[in-house]
Amino acid sequence: MSDMPFDHQKLSNRILASMALGLIVGIGLNMTLASNDWFNAVVLEGLLTAVGEIFVRFLSMLVVPLVFVSLITGVSALSDPKKLGRVGGKALSLYLFTTGVAVTLALVSAIVIQPGVGASPDVLVERDIAAQPSFFQVLVDMVPQNPVRAMAEGDMLPIIVFAVLVGLSVALAGDAGKRIGQFFSDFNTVVMRLVGFVMLMAPIGVFALITVLAATTGWSTFLGVLKYVILVLVMLIVHAFISYSLIFKLFTGLSPVTFFAKMRGVMAFAFSTASSAATIPVTLRTVQQQLGVNNRVSSFTIPLGATINMDGTAIMQGIAAGFIAQYYGVDLTLAQYLMVVVMVIIASIGAAGVPGVGLVLLAGVLAQVGLPAEGIALILGVDRLLDMTRTAVNVTGDAMVTTVVANSEGELDHKVFAQSS
Ligand code: ASP
């Protein structure tokens, strides 16, 4: 596109290259300089951590303005408010369906492979267990008491509700609505441009994040629970590349290969930041400009998905529940397994798209089926890598469902989709 200050695909490749470089440099540092205090303080915890954090902050900075402005623009451009209900209904059903598939896959694999039998974790850490909000509380919390506070706190669901209502009112407010609608549409173009600037920083930011991670990870903690780590990683890959490809092909008839080729930059962002929320600007930009989804659909379904659709998290939670049950020698009944499925789906809806929440919410799932919440300590030490990987799956699911819904609504530009990546 002519207004882009960069070539999207070249940038995606550069981001992937800087991830690989960060991994190599980080592991090298881990093996050589890990015990050098000066180096750790000044370079790892100092410079590189700062660069990584600045990059994530720039991304996060864009989330609230972008979601707000682009949702108002998208909703107010819908000539038919019924369409909004349809798009929402389809997206919600697909989000629930894919999460159901994810947690079922996870549980079946945990039952077959038995990762918890014979596990020997060498680090046990205490962790504060957060209570899971009840389903009704989640409903109540969706309505913003004060939209400014919701924005200040980056609380995505109330922001979505508020922006959808403003967008509908803009559509219905005649001339005044048209003028305001035009303002938001221009504002949206400007914010998207800003996203482009921040993305230019990505190779450096991603390099810093991955280097620090690889340099400071204690790889030995992986060994005790290696089966669990590998099983979660394998199932994440299976769900992303097999389940999603099948669903995508079945519903759209389009090529999953093209979809994944265009998503690689988004996946790299999600992996490096471990936050679906911080990745929203990149996901939105990619589904619109690379996959050809109209803003009328994506402005709604992407922020919604980043908040409520977490298939990767569901996979981790399902396998973790099986792992912890096996570790403690608890035999779960079929009813308890079904309970895990329901609770995991609710937990993934309630979880915000920020690093690590999936693990914290696992406590609620475990409590529901009577498993010891301390079991979380078993897998805490290895969660960072899994968090990054599952976040990449979470955002891929959001983009996949968004493309499917857009296609079914005639809001997918097939020419843009097919353009080479
Ligand atoms: N970090 C994940 C996300 O942002 C959530 C999780 O902890 O599973 O999507």
mmCIF file of all heavy atoms in Angstrom, residues 245-293:
data_model
loop_
_atom_site.group_PDB
_atom_site.id
_atom_site.type_symbol
_atom_site.label_atom_id
_atom_site.label_comp_id
_atom_site.label_asym_id
_atom_site.label_seq_id
_atom_site.Cartn_x
_atom_site.Cartn_y
_atom_site.Cartn_z
ATOM 1 N N SER A 245 -6.003 -24.453 10.259
ATOM 2 C CA SER A 245 -5.987 -24.609 8.800
ATOM 3 C C SER A 245 -7.278 -25.276 8.338
ATOM 4 O O SER A 245 -7.887 -24.854 7.348
ATOM 5 C CB SER A 245 -4.807 -25.472 8.353
ATOM 6 O OG SER A 245 -3.612 -24.815 8.647
ATOM 7 N N LEU A 246 -7.691 -26.318 9.073
ATOM 8 C CA LEU A 246 -8.911 -27.026 8.677
ATOM 9 C C LEU A 246 -10.126 -26.110 8.755
ATOM 10 O O LEU A 246 -10.925 -26.021 7.814
ATOM 11 C CB LEU A 246 -9.128 -28.247 9.581
ATOM 12 C CG LEU A 246 -8.171 -29.427 9.353
ATOM 13 C CD1 LEU A 246 -8.422 -30.526 10.384
ATOM 14 C CD2 LEU A 246 -8.346 -29.979 7.940
ATOM 15 N N ILE A 247 -10.265 -25.418 9.872
ATOM 16 C CA ILE A 247 -11.432 -24.539 10.047
ATOM 17 C C ILE A 247 -11.413 -23.444 8.977
ATOM 18 O O ILE A 247 -12.422 -23.139 8.347
ATOM 19 C CB ILE A 247 -11.431 -23.912 11.464
ATOM 20 C CG1 ILE A 247 -11.560 -25.015 12.520
ATOM 21 C CG2 ILE A 247 -12.555 -22.890 11.617
ATOM 22 C CD1 ILE A 247 -11.388 -24.539 13.948
ATOM 23 N N PHE A 248 -10.232 -22.888 8.756
ATOM 24 C CA PHE A 248 -10.099 -21.785 7.794
ATOM 25 C C PHE A 248 -10.476 -22.245 6.381
ATOM 26 O O PHE A 248 -11.254 -21.604 5.677
ATOM 27 C CB PHE A 248 -8.654 -21.282 7.822
ATOM 28 C CG PHE A 248 -8.424 -20.035 7.028
ATOM 29 C CD1 PHE A 248 -8.894 -18.814 7.478
ATOM 30 C CD2 PHE A 248 -7.742 -20.072 5.817
ATOM 31 C CE1 PHE A 248 -8.697 -17.653 6.745
ATOM 32 C CE2 PHE A 248 -7.534 -18.918 5.076
ATOM 33 C CZ PHE A 248 -8.014 -17.708 5.549
ATOM 34 N N LYS A 249 -9.919 -23.383 6.006
ATOM 35 C CA LYS A 249 -10.186 -23.916 4.661
ATOM 36 C C LYS A 249 -11.675 -24.269 4.507
ATOM 37 O O LYS A 249 -12.309 -23.936 3.507
ATOM 38 C CB LYS A 249 -9.319 -25.173 4.456
ATOM 39 C CG LYS A 249 -9.387 -25.764 3.078
ATOM 40 C CD LYS A 249 -8.483 -25.011 2.132
ATOM 41 C CE LYS A 249 -8.803 -25.340 0.690
ATOM 42 N NZ LYS A 249 -8.231 -24.385 -0.249
ATOM 43 N N LEU A 250 -12.204 -24.905 5.534
ATOM 44 C CA LEU A 250 -13.595 -25.349 5.492
ATOM 45 C C LEU A 250 -14.554 -24.169 5.322
ATOM 46 O O LEU A 250 -15.472 -24.190 4.506
ATOM 47 C CB LEU A 250 -13.902 -26.067 6.813
ATOM 48 C CG LEU A 250 -15.100 -26.982 6.819
ATOM 49 C CD1 LEU A 250 -14.773 -28.237 6.015
ATOM 50 C CD2 LEU A 250 -15.449 -27.386 8.260
ATOM 51 N N PHE A 251 -14.332 -23.109 6.079
ATOM 52 C CA PHE A 251 -15.274 -21.984 6.066
ATOM 53 C C PHE A 251 -15.050 -21.022 4.900
ATOM 54 O O PHE A 251 -15.979 -20.382 4.444
ATOM 55 C CB PHE A 251 -15.188 -21.198 7.372
ATOM 56 C CG PHE A 251 -15.956 -21.834 8.507
ATOM 57 C CD1 PHE A 251 -15.323 -22.638 9.430
ATOM 58 C CD2 PHE A 251 -17.323 -21.617 8.648
ATOM 59 C CE1 PHE A 251 -16.022 -23.226 10.474
ATOM 60 C CE2 PHE A 251 -18.034 -22.199 9.683
ATOM 61 C CZ PHE A 251 -17.387 -23.007 10.601
ATOM 62 N N THR A 252 -13.789 -20.866 4.462
ATOM 63 C CA THR A 252 -13.532 -19.830 3.453
ATOM 64 C C THR A 252 -13.132 -20.401 2.101
ATOM 65 O O THR A 252 -13.238 -19.714 1.091
ATOM 66 C CB THR A 252 -12.383 -18.895 3.891
ATOM 67 O OG1 THR A 252 -11.188 -19.675 3.963
ATOM 68 C CG2 THR A 252 -12.660 -18.252 5.229
ATOM 69 N N GLY A 253 -12.598 -21.609 2.077
ATOM 70 C CA GLY A 253 -12.077 -22.156 0.830
ATOM 71 C C GLY A 253 -10.755 -21.508 0.426
ATOM 72 O O GLY A 253 -10.178 -21.845 -0.607
ATOM 73 N N LEU A 254 -10.247 -20.585 1.258
ATOM 74 C CA LEU A 254 -8.996 -19.890 0.919
ATOM 75 C C LEU A 254 -7.792 -20.673 1.444
ATOM 76 O O LEU A 254 -7.938 -21.589 2.256
ATOM 77 C CB LEU A 254 -8.999 -18.485 1.532
ATOM 78 C CG LEU A 254 -10.084 -17.553 1.003
ATOM 79 C CD1 LEU A 254 -10.211 -16.322 1.894
ATOM 80 C CD2 LEU A 254 -9.767 -17.141 -0.430
ATOM 81 N N SER A 255 -6.606 -20.247 0.999
ATOM 82 C CA SER A 255 -5.402 -20.998 1.355
ATOM 83 C C SER A 255 -4.898 -20.667 2.759
ATOM 84 O O SER A 255 -4.532 -19.524 3.038
ATOM 85 C CB SER A 255 -4.294 -20.693 0.345
ATOM 86 O OG SER A 255 -3.048 -20.986 0.904
ATOM 87 N N PRO A 256 -4.830 -21.670 3.636
ATOM 88 C CA PRO A 256 -4.255 -21.427 4.961
ATOM 89 C C PRO A 256 -2.778 -21.040 4.867
ATOM 90 O O PRO A 256 -2.269 -20.335 5.738
ATOM 91 C CB PRO A 256 -4.397 -22.772 5.678
ATOM 92 C CG PRO A 256 -5.321 -23.594 4.865
ATOM 93 C CD PRO A 256 -5.319 -23.050 3.474
ATOM 94 N N VAL A 257 -2.103 -21.504 3.807
ATOM 95 C CA VAL A 257 -0.671 -21.192 3.683
ATOM 96 C C VAL A 257 -0.487 -19.677 3.529
ATOM 97 O O VAL A 257 0.374 -19.050 4.162
ATOM 98 C CB VAL A 257 -0.058 -21.947 2.479
ATOM 99 C CG1 VAL A 257 1.402 -21.566 2.297
ATOM 100 C CG2 VAL A 257 -0.206 -23.447 2.685
ATOM 101 N N THR A 258 -1.337 -19.068 2.686
ATOM 102 C CA THR A 258 -1.265 -17.618 2.529
ATOM 103 C C THR A 258 -1.551 -16.928 3.861
ATOM 104 O O THR A 258 -0.860 -15.980 4.259
ATOM 105 C CB THR A 258 -2.327 -17.150 1.492
ATOM 106 O OG1 THR A 258 -2.199 -17.947 0.331
ATOM 107 C CG2 THR A 258 -2.172 -15.689 1.165
ATOM 108 N N PHE A 259 -2.556 -17.443 4.545
ATOM 109 C CA PHE A 259 -2.909 -16.850 5.841
ATOM 110 C C PHE A 259 -1.713 -16.860 6.789
ATOM 111 O O PHE A 259 -1.329 -15.836 7.356
ATOM 112 C CB PHE A 259 -4.090 -17.630 6.447
ATOM 113 C CG PHE A 259 -4.421 -17.236 7.856
ATOM 114 C CD1 PHE A 259 -5.157 -16.086 8.122
ATOM 115 C CD2 PHE A 259 -3.966 -18.005 8.925
ATOM 116 C CE1 PHE A 259 -5.447 -15.713 9.437
ATOM 117 C CE2 PHE A 259 -4.247 -17.640 10.231
ATOM 118 C CZ PHE A 259 -4.993 -16.493 10.486
ATOM 119 N N PHE A 260 -1.079 -18.021 6.926
ATOM 120 C CA PHE A 260 0.033 -18.124 7.883
ATOM 121 C C PHE A 260 1.237 -17.310 7.426
ATOM 122 O O PHE A 260 1.932 -16.710 8.237
ATOM 123 C CB PHE A 260 0.421 -19.589 8.119
ATOM 124 C CG PHE A 260 -0.533 -20.286 9.048
ATOM 125 C CD1 PHE A 260 -1.396 -21.266 8.587
ATOM 126 C CD2 PHE A 260 -0.588 -19.941 10.388
ATOM 127 C CE1 PHE A 260 -2.288 -21.894 9.445
ATOM 128 C CE2 PHE A 260 -1.475 -20.571 11.255
ATOM 129 C CZ PHE A 260 -2.334 -21.545 10.782
ATOM 130 N N ALA A 261 1.471 -17.282 6.110
ATOM 131 C CA ALA A 261 2.619 -16.510 5.624
ATOM 132 C C ALA A 261 2.454 -15.042 6.011
ATOM 133 O O ALA A 261 3.405 -14.376 6.415
ATOM 134 C CB ALA A 261 2.733 -16.649 4.109
ATOM 135 N N LYS A 262 1.234 -14.554 5.928
ATOM 136 C CA LYS A 262 1.010 -13.146 6.250
ATOM 137 C C LYS A 262 0.960 -12.886 7.750
ATOM 138 O O LYS A 262 1.103 -11.753 8.191
ATOM 139 C CB LYS A 262 -0.273 -12.679 5.576
ATOM 140 C CG LYS A 262 -0.122 -12.706 4.052
ATOM 141 C CD LYS A 262 -1.266 -12.064 3.342
ATOM 142 C CE LYS A 262 -0.883 -11.902 1.864
ATOM 143 N NZ LYS A 262 -1.841 -11.089 1.140
ATOM 144 N N MET A 263 0.731 -13.937 8.505
ATOM 145 C CA MET A 263 0.618 -13.775 9.956
ATOM 146 C C MET A 263 1.952 -13.889 10.684
ATOM 147 O O MET A 263 2.011 -13.736 11.897
ATOM 148 C CB MET A 263 -0.341 -14.841 10.517
ATOM 149 C CG MET A 263 -1.804 -14.535 10.329
ATOM 150 S SD MET A 263 -2.306 -13.055 11.229
ATOM 151 C CE MET A 263 -2.172 -13.659 12.919
ATOM 152 N N ARG A 264 3.033 -14.177 9.971
ATOM 153 C CA ARG A 264 4.253 -14.503 10.719
ATOM 154 C C ARG A 264 4.772 -13.325 11.550
ATOM 155 O O ARG A 264 5.279 -13.521 12.658
ATOM 156 C CB ARG A 264 5.338 -15.062 9.803
ATOM 157 C CG ARG A 264 5.818 -14.150 8.696
ATOM 158 C CD ARG A 264 6.732 -14.958 7.766
ATOM 159 N NE ARG A 264 7.470 -14.103 6.849
ATOM 160 C CZ ARG A 264 6.983 -13.656 5.703
ATOM 161 N NH1 ARG A 264 5.744 -13.989 5.335
ATOM 162 N NH2 ARG A 264 7.715 -12.880 4.921
ATOM 163 N N GLY A 265 4.600 -12.114 11.021
ATOM 164 C CA GLY A 265 5.036 -10.944 11.795
ATOM 165 C C GLY A 265 4.223 -10.793 13.073
ATOM 166 O O GLY A 265 4.766 -10.548 14.156
ATOM 167 N N VAL A 266 2.912 -10.967 12.960
ATOM 168 C CA VAL A 266 2.035 -10.837 14.136
ATOM 169 C C VAL A 266 2.402 -11.896 15.181
ATOM 170 O O VAL A 266 2.491 -11.608 16.378
ATOM 171 C CB VAL A 266 0.550 -11.023 13.743
ATOM 172 C CG1 VAL A 266 -0.345 -10.875 14.958
ATOM 173 C CG2 VAL A 266 0.149 -10.039 12.664
ATOM 174 N N MET A 267 2.659 -13.112 14.690
ATOM 175 C CA MET A 267 3.010 -14.182 15.626
ATOM 176 C C MET A 267 4.320 -13.862 16.341
ATOM 177 O O MET A 267 4.466 -14.113 17.541
ATOM 178 C CB MET A 267 3.098 -15.522 14.893
ATOM 179 C CG MET A 267 1.735 -16.001 14.406
ATOM 180 S SD MET A 267 1.844 -17.398 13.273
ATOM 181 C CE MET A 267 1.610 -18.771 14.352
ATOM 182 N N ALA A 268 5.253 -13.269 15.598
ATOM 183 C CA ALA A 268 6.533 -12.917 16.217
ATOM 184 C C ALA A 268 6.344 -11.820 17.285
ATOM 185 O O ALA A 268 6.946 -11.863 18.354
ATOM 186 C CB ALA A 268 7.524 -12.446 15.152
ATOM 187 N N PHE A 269 5.493 -10.863 16.991
ATOM 188 C CA PHE A 269 5.197 -9.812 17.985
ATOM 189 C C PHE A 269 4.597 -10.425 19.240
ATOM 190 O O PHE A 269 4.992 -10.115 20.357
ATOM 191 C CB PHE A 269 4.161 -8.824 17.425
ATOM 192 C CG PHE A 269 4.752 -7.601 16.815
ATOM 193 C CD1 PHE A 269 5.120 -7.594 15.487
ATOM 194 C CD2 PHE A 269 4.923 -6.453 17.556
ATOM 195 C CE1 PHE A 269 5.645 -6.472 14.903
ATOM 196 C CE2 PHE A 269 5.451 -5.317 16.979
ATOM 197 C CZ PHE A 269 5.815 -5.322 15.650
ATOM 198 N N ALA A 270 3.602 -11.294 19.028
ATOM 199 C CA ALA A 270 2.910 -11.892 20.171
ATOM 200 C C ALA A 270 3.877 -12.744 20.982
ATOM 201 O O ALA A 270 3.881 -12.703 22.211
ATOM 202 C CB ALA A 270 1.732 -12.740 19.692
ATOM 203 N N PHE A 271 4.733 -13.475 20.298
ATOM 204 C CA PHE A 271 5.704 -14.328 20.974
ATOM 205 C C PHE A 271 6.655 -13.475 21.822
ATOM 206 O O PHE A 271 6.903 -13.779 22.985
ATOM 207 C CB PHE A 271 6.487 -15.113 19.924
ATOM 208 C CG PHE A 271 7.453 -16.103 20.494
ATOM 209 C CD1 PHE A 271 7.024 -17.363 20.881
ATOM 210 C CD2 PHE A 271 8.793 -15.782 20.641
ATOM 211 C CE1 PHE A 271 7.918 -18.282 21.423
ATOM 212 C CE2 PHE A 271 9.694 -16.693 21.175
ATOM 213 C CZ PHE A 271 9.257 -17.949 21.560
ATOM 214 N N SER A 272 7.139 -12.392 21.250
ATOM 215 C CA SER A 272 8.134 -11.584 21.971
ATOM 216 C C SER A 272 7.532 -10.832 23.136
ATOM 217 O O SER A 272 8.182 -10.632 24.150
ATOM 218 C CB SER A 272 8.792 -10.578 21.027
ATOM 219 O OG SER A 272 9.161 -11.200 19.842
ATOM 220 N N THR A 273 6.288 -10.372 22.997
ATOM 221 C CA THR A 273 5.708 -9.551 24.062
ATOM 222 C C THR A 273 4.893 -10.385 25.048
ATOM 223 O O THR A 273 4.600 -9.917 26.142
ATOM 224 C CB THR A 273 4.754 -8.483 23.481
ATOM 225 O OG1 THR A 273 3.715 -9.155 22.749
ATOM 226 C CG2 THR A 273 5.472 -7.531 22.557
ATOM 227 N N ALA A 274 4.503 -11.605 24.672
ATOM 228 C CA ALA A 274 3.626 -12.462 25.499
ATOM 229 C C ALA A 274 2.358 -11.735 25.899
ATOM 230 O O ALA A 274 1.801 -11.966 26.964
ATOM 231 C CB ALA A 274 4.346 -12.982 26.742
ATOM 232 N N SER A 275 1.888 -10.840 25.032
ATOM 233 C CA SER A 275 0.660 -10.114 25.362
ATOM 234 C C SER A 275 -0.215 -9.933 24.126
ATOM 235 O O SER A 275 0.162 -9.237 23.182
ATOM 236 C CB SER A 275 1.032 -8.749 25.954
ATOM 237 O OG SER A 275 -0.103 -7.928 26.023
ATOM 238 N N SER A 276 -1.395 -10.551 24.161
ATOM 239 C CA SER A 276 -2.327 -10.365 23.043
ATOM 240 C C SER A 276 -2.770 -8.909 22.971
ATOM 241 O O SER A 276 -2.978 -8.367 21.888
ATOM 242 C CB SER A 276 -3.606 -11.181 23.220
ATOM 243 O OG SER A 276 -3.365 -12.497 23.493
ATOM 244 N N ALA A 277 -2.931 -8.287 24.143
ATOM 245 C CA ALA A 277 -3.412 -6.900 24.161
ATOM 246 C C ALA A 277 -2.397 -5.965 23.515
ATOM 247 O O ALA A 277 -2.743 -5.144 22.670
ATOM 248 C CB ALA A 277 -3.713 -6.469 25.585
ATOM 249 N N ALA A 278 -1.125 -6.131 23.884
ATOM 250 C CA ALA A 278 -0.099 -5.244 23.311
ATOM 251 C C ALA A 278 0.061 -5.490 21.819
ATOM 252 O O ALA A 278 0.500 -4.610 21.078
ATOM 253 C CB ALA A 278 1.236 -5.447 24.026
ATOM 254 N N THR A 279 -0.332 -6.681 21.362
ATOM 255 C CA THR A 279 -0.174 -6.998 19.939
ATOM 256 C C THR A 279 -1.350 -6.491 19.092
ATOM 257 O O THR A 279 -1.267 -6.496 17.866
ATOM 258 C CB THR A 279 0.003 -8.538 19.769
ATOM 259 O OG1 THR A 279 1.013 -8.975 20.679
ATOM 260 C CG2 THR A 279 0.446 -8.924 18.380
ATOM 261 N N ILE A 280 -2.437 -6.051 19.743
ATOM 262 C CA ILE A 280 -3.632 -5.615 18.988
ATOM 263 C C ILE A 280 -3.310 -4.678 17.811
ATOM 264 O O ILE A 280 -3.789 -4.902 16.696
ATOM 265 C CB ILE A 280 -4.678 -4.948 19.918
ATOM 266 C CG1 ILE A 280 -5.347 -6.003 20.807
ATOM 267 C CG2 ILE A 280 -5.756 -4.204 19.115
ATOM 268 C CD1 ILE A 280 -6.303 -5.420 21.851
ATOM 269 N N PRO A 281 -2.481 -3.637 18.019
ATOM 270 C CA PRO A 281 -2.241 -2.750 16.869
ATOM 271 C C PRO A 281 -1.659 -3.488 15.667
ATOM 272 O O PRO A 281 -2.033 -3.215 14.530
ATOM 273 C CB PRO A 281 -1.222 -1.730 17.424
ATOM 274 C CG PRO A 281 -1.421 -1.752 18.899
ATOM 275 C CD PRO A 281 -1.822 -3.153 19.242
ATOM 276 N N VAL A 282 -0.758 -4.421 15.917
ATOM 277 C CA VAL A 282 -0.124 -5.145 14.812
ATOM 278 C C VAL A 282 -1.120 -6.116 14.175
ATOM 279 O O VAL A 282 -1.179 -6.252 12.952
ATOM 280 C CB VAL A 282 1.114 -5.923 15.323
ATOM 281 C CG1 VAL A 282 1.894 -6.492 14.161
ATOM 282 C CG2 VAL A 282 1.991 -5.028 16.169
ATOM 283 N N THR A 283 -1.920 -6.793 15.023
ATOM 284 C CA THR A 283 -2.915 -7.725 14.481
ATOM 285 C C THR A 283 -3.911 -6.978 13.605
ATOM 286 O O THR A 283 -4.211 -7.382 12.483
ATOM 287 C CB THR A 283 -3.688 -8.429 15.628
ATOM 288 O OG1 THR A 283 -2.786 -8.739 16.683
ATOM 289 C CG2 THR A 283 -4.351 -9.690 15.147
ATOM 290 N N LEU A 284 -4.398 -5.849 14.119
ATOM 291 C CA LEU A 284 -5.392 -5.071 13.368
ATOM 292 C C LEU A 284 -4.832 -4.638 12.027
ATOM 293 O O LEU A 284 -5.470 -4.769 10.984
ATOM 294 C CB LEU A 284 -5.743 -3.813 14.159
ATOM 295 C CG LEU A 284 -7.071 -3.787 14.896
ATOM 296 C CD1 LEU A 284 -7.265 -2.443 15.563
ATOM 297 C CD2 LEU A 284 -8.227 -4.088 13.958
ATOM 298 N N ARG A 285 -3.625 -4.105 12.070
ATOM 299 C CA ARG A 285 -3.018 -3.606 10.850
ATOM 300 C C ARG A 285 -2.821 -4.728 9.829
ATOM 301 O O ARG A 285 -3.079 -4.571 8.640
ATOM 302 C CB ARG A 285 -1.671 -2.963 11.199
ATOM 303 C CG ARG A 285 -1.121 -2.093 10.106
ATOM 304 C CD ARG A 285 0.182 -1.471 10.522
ATOM 305 N NE ARG A 285 0.910 -1.065 9.340
ATOM 306 C CZ ARG A 285 0.900 0.172 8.859
ATOM 307 N NH1 ARG A 285 0.241 1.110 9.458
ATOM 308 N NH2 ARG A 285 1.560 0.459 7.770
ATOM 309 N N THR A 286 -2.397 -5.875 10.328
ATOM 310 C CA THR A 286 -2.133 -6.988 9.408
ATOM 311 C C THR A 286 -3.421 -7.546 8.812
ATOM 312 O O THR A 286 -3.492 -7.789 7.608
ATOM 313 C CB THR A 286 -1.351 -8.106 10.135
ATOM 314 O OG1 THR A 286 -0.161 -7.535 10.654
ATOM 315 C CG2 THR A 286 -1.012 -9.250 9.204
ATOM 316 N N VAL A 287 -4.444 -7.765 9.639
ATOM 317 C CA VAL A 287 -5.663 -8.339 9.055
ATOM 318 C C VAL A 287 -6.280 -7.364 8.057
ATOM 319 O O VAL A 287 -6.854 -7.777 7.058
ATOM 320 C CB VAL A 287 -6.732 -8.778 10.097
ATOM 321 C CG1 VAL A 287 -6.251 -9.913 10.953
ATOM 322 C CG2 VAL A 287 -7.213 -7.655 10.928
ATOM 323 N N GLN A 288 -6.123 -6.080 8.296
ATOM 324 C CA GLN A 288 -6.718 -5.134 7.354
ATOM 325 C C GLN A 288 -5.879 -4.993 6.092
ATOM 326 O O GLN A 288 -6.387 -5.101 4.982
ATOM 327 C CB GLN A 288 -6.879 -3.768 8.028
ATOM 328 C CG GLN A 288 -7.997 -3.782 9.065
ATOM 329 C CD GLN A 288 -8.078 -2.492 9.860
ATOM 330 O OE1 GLN A 288 -7.519 -1.470 9.476
ATOM 331 N NE2 GLN A 288 -8.755 -2.527 10.978
ATOM 332 N N GLN A 289 -4.587 -4.750 6.280
ATOM 333 C CA GLN A 289 -3.783 -4.390 5.118
ATOM 334 C C GLN A 289 -3.178 -5.588 4.401
ATOM 335 O O GLN A 289 -2.849 -5.506 3.226
ATOM 336 C CB GLN A 289 -2.694 -3.406 5.536
ATOM 337 C CG GLN A 289 -3.329 -2.152 6.118
ATOM 338 C CD GLN A 289 -2.357 -1.037 6.371
ATOM 339 O OE1 GLN A 289 -1.153 -1.247 6.350
ATOM 340 N NE2 GLN A 289 -2.869 0.153 6.625
ATOM 341 N N GLN A 290 -3.022 -6.702 5.088
ATOM 342 C CA GLN A 290 -2.422 -7.872 4.447
ATOM 343 C C GLN A 290 -3.457 -8.943 4.086
ATOM 344 O O GLN A 290 -3.382 -9.563 3.045
ATOM 345 C CB GLN A 290 -1.369 -8.495 5.373
ATOM 346 C CG GLN A 290 -0.219 -7.573 5.679
ATOM 347 C CD GLN A 290 0.592 -7.282 4.432
ATOM 348 O OE1 GLN A 290 1.002 -8.197 3.737
ATOM 349 N NE2 GLN A 290 0.801 -6.010 4.128
ATOM 350 N N LEU A 291 -4.392 -9.170 5.006
ATOM 351 C CA LEU A 291 -5.373 -10.233 4.739
ATOM 352 C C LEU A 291 -6.617 -9.689 4.035
ATOM 353 O O LEU A 291 -7.412 -10.460 3.507
ATOM 354 C CB LEU A 291 -5.768 -10.929 6.047
ATOM 355 C CG LEU A 291 -4.632 -11.694 6.749
ATOM 356 C CD1 LEU A 291 -5.054 -12.170 8.127
ATOM 357 C CD2 LEU A 291 -4.184 -12.893 5.911
ATOM 358 N N GLY A 292 -6.811 -8.367 4.056
ATOM 359 C CA GLY A 292 -7.917 -7.786 3.306
ATOM 360 C C GLY A 292 -9.241 -7.708 4.044
ATOM 361 O O GLY A 292 -10.302 -7.597 3.428
ATOM 362 N N VAL A 293 -9.197 -7.777 5.379
ATOM 363 C CA VAL A 293 -10.440 -7.689 6.150
ATOM 364 C C VAL A 293 -10.853 -6.224 6.296
ATOM 365 O O VAL A 293 -10.015 -5.368 6.608
ATOM 366 C CB VAL A 293 -10.254 -8.302 7.565
ATOM 367 C CG1 VAL A 293 -11.505 -8.116 8.406
ATOM 368 C CG2 VAL A 293 -9.902 -9.779 7.461
#
